[in-house]
Amino acid sequence: MNQPLDAPVPYRATRASGASRASRGRCPAAALRDPTPCEGPHDAATLVDRHGREVAGCVHHCARVLAGLEGARVHPFVPAGQALEIYSRARELPPFAWEIGR
């Protein structure tokens, strides 16, 4: 929790960074310093931050990012089962969980 919630988002929602991460086997929602592997499809869900920026990612990394972004939400077109899984996981995580080894 060394970063304020108003800090820039821990991902880059650009095609260039998404393409480079995908080539390394990680979804675009995976934070650069988060060492955990993706779970499932890399485009299973889309997050929308409070500024309207969107990023697609696996359920695991979407939950981890959602836990640290105030005002973020799962895109309304994500299937209900996946959205509930993301919200449930995010609720159990501290913000920026990878910084404390979770």
Side-chain angles (χ1 to χ4, degrees):
M1 282 204 45
N2 297 335
Q3 301 174 11
L5 293 177
D6 290 331
V9 292
Y11 60 85
R12 296 178 189 198
T14 62
R15 289 182 179 226
S17 67
S20 64
R21 277 200 202 132
S23 66
R24 293 189 326 243
R26 296 184 36 103
C27 69
L32 296 174
R33 296 188 314 176
D34 186 349
T36 59
C38 291
E39 291 180 19
H42 290 191
D43 60 352
T46 301
L47 293 182
V48 182
D49 71 8
R50 66 181 172 188
H51 303 291
R53 294 178 292 209
E54 298 181 354
V55 66
C58 69
V59 171
H60 173 72
H61 286 117
C62 282
R64 291 172 72 83
V65 169
L66 185 64
L69 289 181
E70 185 177 328
R73 64 194 184 282
V74 177
H75 195 280
F77 293 130
V78 172
Q82 290 170 326
L84 288 172
E85 180 68 19
I86 291 168
Y87 282 118
S88 296
R89 289 186 187 196
R91 186 174 156 227
E92 300 296 320
L93 291 168
F96 314 105
W98 55 90
E99 290 186 354
I100 60 170
R102 286 191 66 193

